[in-house]
Amino acid sequence: MSPRKTEHKSGGTPLKMARYNEKLQCRKLSQLLSKYFNNNDYFITLYYPKSTPPEDLNHAKAQLSDYISNLRQVYKDYGKELKYIKFPICTKGGRVRHYIIINKSVILKKYICGLWAESACLSRIITLDKLPPADKTAQILIDLTKRDFTMYHKCYITSRNISTACKR
C-alpha cells in the first residue's frame, strides 16, 4: 500500500475567515440562547448618561463585575442559580454599554435595576419575548460587538454554569 499524501487545506483569505468566525459565533450564541434561556428571561441594558461617563474601561469592567456578583448573591439568597451572557461594549464615541441576558427568577425588575444604582447610571429591562427569535437576536448582538468594540477579547462572556460546547 502506498502512503497517501494529505493535502493541507488553506483557511482562505482573512476576510473569508472573519466571515466564517462570525457565522460560527452567531450559531453558537443562538444555540446558547435557545438552550439556556426562554421568553420570560430578561434582556438588560446598563449604560451611562453622556454627562457622567465611567472614568475608564477598567472602572466600567469593575462596576459590571460588582453588579454580576451582587446579582449572583441575590439569586443565591432566593435559592436560585444565576445564568447570564454579558456583552460589555464600548462604542467608537467612547460610550460604554453592558448588555446582559439573565434567567428569570422570583426577583422583581425594580430590584434588578436597584443593583445598578451607581451614580447616575441607567438601566432598561425587557423580556426576551419582545426580541426577535434566538438566531436573529444572536446576529444583532454579534453585529453590535463587531461594529463597536468589546472590552474583552471575546464578543460575549457566559456564566460558568453555561456549557459553551457548540454542536456542528
Side-chain angles (χ1 to χ4, degrees):
M1 230 177 179
S2 65
R4 269 179 52 187
K5 285 188 176 181
T6 57
E7 293 183 27
H8 184 67
K9 185 177 179 183
S10 67
T13 65
L15 183 61
K16 283 183 182 178
M17 290 307 297
R19 285 183 187 151
Y20 174 77
N21 288 338
E22 181 183 337
K23 187 177 176 183
L24 189 64
Q25 285 175 340
C26 285
R27 184 173 60 208
K28 186 176 177 182
L29 181 57
S30 176
Q31 288 174 358
L32 292 176
L33 290 174
S34 298
K35 184 175 180 181
Y36 291 102
F37 299 98
N38 59 40
N39 286 340
N40 296 327
D41 294 333
Y42 292 134
F43 179 80
I44 305 170
T45 305
L46 305 171
Y47 56 99
Y48 304 87
K50 287 182 182 178
S51 58
T52 57
E55 297 166 11
D56 59 357
L57 291 182
N58 290 332
H59 183 68
K61 283 182 188 180
Q63 281 184 323
L64 181 60
S65 247
D66 291 344
Y67 177 77
I68 293 290
S69 63
N70 290 340
L71 198 57
R72 189 179 293 121
Q73 185 59 46
V74 170
Y75 270 66
K76 194 175 186 180
D77 292 345
Y78 279 100
K80 302 287 183 182
E81 188 176 33
L82 174 67
K83 293 180 182 176
Y84 65 86
I85 301 176
K86 62 183 179 177
F87 304 83
I89 295 173
C90 183
T91 64
K92 290 177 180 153
R95 306 265 328 258
V96 175
R97 288 197 174 96
H98 306 289
Y99 300 106
I100 308 171
I101 298 172
I102 63 169
N103 59 321
K104 186 176 180 181
S105 183
V106 293
I107 301 171
L108 299 173
K109 286 183 180 183
K110 290 179 185 177
Y111 195 67
I112 292 172
C113 288
L115 291 175
W116 186 249
E118 294 290 328
S119 60
C121 294
L122 306 172
S123 62
R124 182 175 55 213
I125 297 178
I126 59 173
T127 53
L128 290 181
D129 62 348
K130 294 185 174 60
L131 295 176
D135 56 341
K136 298 287 185 192
T137 301
Q139 181 65 46
I140 291 167
L141 290 168
I142 295 296
D143 285 347
L144 275 174
T145 59
K146 190 175 82 173
R147 185 189 71 202
D148 301 324
F149 71 91
T150 181
M151 290 187 270
Y152 297 92
H153 298 289
K154 302 180 199 176
C155 289
Y156 59 88
I157 298 167
T158 62
S159 56
R160 291 185 193 129
N161 53 0
I162 291 181
S163 171
T164 58
C166 182
K167 296 177 186 174
R168 295 215 175 229

